[in-house]
Each structure stands twice: as structure tokens, then as C-alpha cells.
Amino acid sequence: MTDRPLVWVGIDVGKATHHACVMDPTGKIVFAQKVVNDQAAIEQLVARATKTAHEVRWAIDLTSNAAALLIAVLIATGQQVVYVPGRVVNRMAGAFGEGKTDAKDAKVIANTARMREDLTPVTVTDELVVELTRLTAHREDLMADWVRGINRLRDLLTSIFPGLEREFDFSTRSALILVAGFCTPEEIRAAGVEGVSVYLTEHGAWRKGIPAMVDTALAAAAAQTLRLPGEATTTVLVKKLARQLLELDRDIKNTDKLITSVFRAHPQAEIIESLPGLGPILGAEFLVATGGTLAGFAGSGKLAAYAGLVPVPKDSGRVSGNNRRPKRYNRRLRRVFYMAALSSLKVSGPSRVFYDRKRGERMIHTQALLALARRLVDVLWALLRDGRTFTPVAPPIATAAT
């Protein structure tokens, strides 16, 4: 142990290796090294760093999966860790000259931590929140595949049978079942009413909607007698893609069930889900975006600002009082409250009343919806603070006994 009171360790996080830079209070580098993303190697770094000063503070530029082992080792050994956002690292790097290397980034991270006291501490993430993080990320990938697949199927079908593509919503299982079996005018005409009906019934299409589907498909087939170029190959591709989308739909639904079961194991799930518009999927995304706790937010205003629902000032010289939409905020959290506000309008209640009042104040739809999203932040904050579920009528205010 030396006489140094304090050092900062900046770590540029990587998948296979990390770069560490240890810096004293004067900005002088004590040592720098490359560390393998391995528990023993990280523990050796911690042991070496703790010998350089009485107190060691750590700073990292990522909190993603690549940093999971690093964070776990640092917290397990009782180290103080803060998070330096990549945007900050990028801007600070300009002050130290051009050129970019992992070693230089580690030095910038250490320097930033040395000069700033407002960086966010890194703490242990709740196991349930970690599970929800993995599940919601997986669902996001599935939904991206779903949207891409639907668009591709519609494009292919338009090239050989535009009438059929125009008549059906291919985000539904019944429409996908239809084109998985019949996707050309000739196939539908050859099958006839009975053939198409039997196929749809046997493959699980919505029974009540089968007669209308059959009539619509046959009418579209009767309207097109020409065979378009590339029909044979396109037919194979459409049917294959439709089958893949049907399987993907099952995967999404199973993932939703898993997310719901994990989310409802959270102690505050009932409170979150009681708010109109916030179901288990959006509730899970809320927990992921906030880390499962509101301890890092001093009030509902801070949470709303983090979600980008609070305007920021844009003053200059004599011009003051101007506000603009923020550019830096958590887009996932903003989406949670925006979608919750949109969903809450489907039924009558306080949200609909609030939205209609804002429209009456000459706000356009988007402005009124954002105002409602901001309002939902306040309501959810109060519910979580008080540990109670949502009720349409506010509970009476408790008064002190006289």
C-alpha cells in the first residue's frame, strides 16, 4: 500500500478483453493494462489496484452483457463503481487529441470519473429484472422478425396475386393459414368452396370467420385469370414464409406467457399492472428500464425527465422561457408510458377524461397523448410510493387525529 489517498480506475469494457487505466488525483497514470474477461484475471486487477491507494474508485463505460462478469466481481469485492455513458466518453475524448484506441478510452474514462461527481453508481441488478431484461430483448428480436416477415410476405404475394394480398390482414393466423395452403388464383379456384373450407378448418383457422374468408378468396381468384411471371417460385416462397410466420407467432405468444409469469413474481407487479394501459409486457419493460427500483429518482419529475416527458429550456441572451423537446432520454421508458397512454384510451375512465380535456384545450392528438403519458408517470409514482393499487376514485386524504 502506498501513501496515495485515492485512485480512479477507468475500464474500457470489451467482450473478450478489457483495458484498465489507474489514475491518481493529479491525473498521472499509475499503471495501465489489458485484462482478459475472466474472473481470476479481474480479481488480480482488483488486488493490484487496491495496493496503489487507500481508496479505489472504478468507472466503466458499459453495463451490458459484456460487462456482467466484471461488474459482478467488482461488487462482490466491495468496490465503488460508477457508469460513464459512451456519449460522455466520446465527447471527453476530443479534449485529449485525435485518434481512438481502447487504452486511450480507458484513460478518458478514468479522467472523467476523477473530474465528475455526478456519475451514476452501478449496483447489483435484481435477478428477476435480469431475467426480464433477457426475455424482453428476445421478444423485441422476435417482433422485429415478425414485422419483417409480414412485409416480405405481402410484397411477394402482391407480385403474383395482388387481389388476395389486398383483402386480408396477414398479421392474423387465419390469413397466414390460408396462404400457407393456397396463394394463387388457380389453386383457390381448383380447391373450390369445400376444399378451402376444409383446409382452413383442419389447420385451426378461426371457425366463425371461415365462410367469409372463403367467399373473399374465391372472389379474388375469379377476378384474376392471368398467371404472372415467376409465380411458381414465388408460390413456394410465400407458403414457406407463411409457415415460418405461424411458428413465429406461437413463439411470440409463448414468450409473452413466460414474461407474464416472471413479471407477476415481482412484489410490485400488482400495483404496476393495476394502472390502466400497463399490462404485463409494458410492466416488464418498465421494470427493465428502471432497473426494478425507483431509488435513483428523487421524485416523479425526475422519472418523467428520464423518460423524456419533461421539456428542457432553450434560452439564449434576452430570449428566455422557451422550451424544447429533450434529445437525451431513455427511449424505452418513453415508449412504455406512450403506449400505456394510448392503450388506456380504449376504455372510459380518468385517462379518457384527461385526454379529452387536453384536446379541448386545442392540443393535437400527439400533444394530448404525451400530456397523458406525463400524467401516468405521476400516478404510477404515487401508487408505488404508497404501495397501493390504482382506483378510479382517489382515496381520501388521511388527517391527523385531534
Side-chain angles (χ1 to χ4, degrees):
M1 179 72 70
T2 68
D3 293 332
R4 293 189 192 92
L6 175 65
V7 292
W8 289 265
V9 184
I11 299 183
D12 180 67
V13 178
K15 291 182 180 179
T17 59
H18 310 305
H19 282 76
C21 177
V22 180
M23 186 173 292
D24 68 13
T26 65
K28 181 180 178 182
I29 297 177
V30 179
F31 74 85
Q33 73 174 83
K34 188 176 182 179
V35 183
V36 177
N37 192 14
D38 176 80
Q39 180 176 341
I42 297 172
E43 288 174 344
Q44 290 174 8
L45 173 64
V46 173
R48 182 181 178 187
T50 53
K51 294 178 180 179
T52 62
H54 295 284
E55 182 181 355
V56 181
R57 297 179 184 175
W58 301 75
I60 58 178
D61 65 334
L62 288 176
T63 56
S64 60
N65 294 340
L69 179 59
L70 173 65
I71 293 172
V73 172
L74 292 176
I75 292 178
T77 54
Q79 305 301 309
Q80 302 177 53
V81 190
V82 295
Y83 169 57
V84 182
R87 185 192 300 270
V88 175
V89 177
N90 181 266
R91 291 184 176 180
M92 288 291 290
F96 298 96
E98 296 184 10
K100 181 192 182 304
T101 65
D102 293 339
K104 179 184 175 183
D105 286 345
K107 178 182 177 182
V108 172
I109 294 167
N111 238 328
T112 303
R114 181 176 66 89
M115 294 185 288
R116 293 184 58 167
E117 297 290 337
D118 60 341
L119 298 173
T120 305
V122 177
T123 57
V124 179
T125 305
D126 183 77
E127 181 72 19
L128 187 144
V129 175
V130 173
E131 292 181 8
L132 288 176
T133 301
R134 304 285 191 272
L135 287 171
T136 53
H138 177 60
R139 185 182 189 275
E140 187 176 347
D141 290 340
L142 294 179
M143 292 305 299
D145 292 340
W146 171 261
V147 173
R148 182 169 52 251
I150 294 295
N151 291 338
R152 181 59 179 155
L153 183 141
R154 298 188 76 102
D155 181 61
L156 289 171
L157 191 58
T158 299
S159 68
I160 59 171
F161 196 174
L164 190 67
E165 186 277 332
R166 184 172 58 249
E167 293 295 338
F168 291 100
D169 176 9
F170 292 97
S171 63
T172 63
R173 287 190 64 85
S174 294
L176 291 174
I177 290 171
L178 173 64
V179 294
F182 311 100
C183 63
T184 67
E186 186 177 349
E187 287 180 336
I188 293 176
R189 287 195 298 266
V193 174
E194 184 177 355
V196 177
S197 298
V198 170
Y199 174 82
L200 291 174
T201 302
E202 290 179 348
H203 288 80
W206 183 47
R207 289 183 176 274
K208 292 183 178 180
I210 289 177
M213 285 187 66
V214 172
D215 292 341
T216 301
L218 286 171
Q224 180 178 327
T225 58
L226 292 177
R227 181 187 177 97
L228 299 183
E231 183 181 275
T233 299
T234 305
T235 298
V236 174
L237 294 175
V238 169
K239 291 181 178 180
K240 180 180 180 181
L241 186 54
R243 290 192 292 269
Q244 290 174 347
L245 287 169
L246 287 168
E247 187 62 33
L248 181 58
D249 179 61
R250 295 190 190 95
D251 199 0
I252 292 172
K253 289 177 179 177
N254 290 335
T255 301
D256 286 350
K257 290 179 182 178
L258 185 55
I259 290 175
T260 299
S261 64
V262 175
F263 167 72
R264 287 178 175 166
H266 192 276
Q268 294 179 319
E270 184 180 0
I271 297 174
I272 296 171
E273 203 172 350
S274 70
L275 186 67
L278 271 181
I281 304 302
L282 287 178
E285 292 188 5
F286 170 76
L287 290 177
V288 171
T290 58
T293 177
L294 298 181
F297 305 97
S300 62
K302 295 293 185 182
L303 180 61
Y306 185 58
L309 295 171
V310 177
V312 295
K314 188 181 180 182
D315 299 340
S316 179
R318 296 181 180 179
V319 179
S320 61
N322 289 338
N323 292 323
R324 63 168 175 81
R325 177 179 174 178
K327 296 181 180 179
R328 295 188 293 273
Y329 54 89
N330 188 299
R331 281 156 176 77
R332 186 171 197 171
L333 188 60
R334 181 188 179 93
R335 177 186 173 277
V336 166
F337 284 109
Y338 186 88
M339 295 303 297
L342 193 61
S343 298
S344 68
L345 297 180
K346 295 179 181 179
V347 295
S348 59
S351 292
R352 169 56 72 174
V353 173
F354 182 89
Y355 172 83
D356 291 340
R357 186 170 76 247
K358 291 301 177 182
R359 290 304 304 271
E361 296 173 3
R362 296 187 176 182
M363 284 188 178
I364 64 174
H365 169 70
T366 304
Q367 291 173 326
L369 207 56
L370 288 173
L372 176 57
R374 174 67 179 88
R375 178 63 176 169
L376 291 179
V377 174
D378 290 336
V379 175
L380 183 58
W381 173 271
L383 295 177
L384 293 173
R385 178 198 61 199
D386 299 340
R388 62 181 178 86
T389 56
F390 175 82
T391 54
V393 180
I397 299 176
T399 57
T402 58

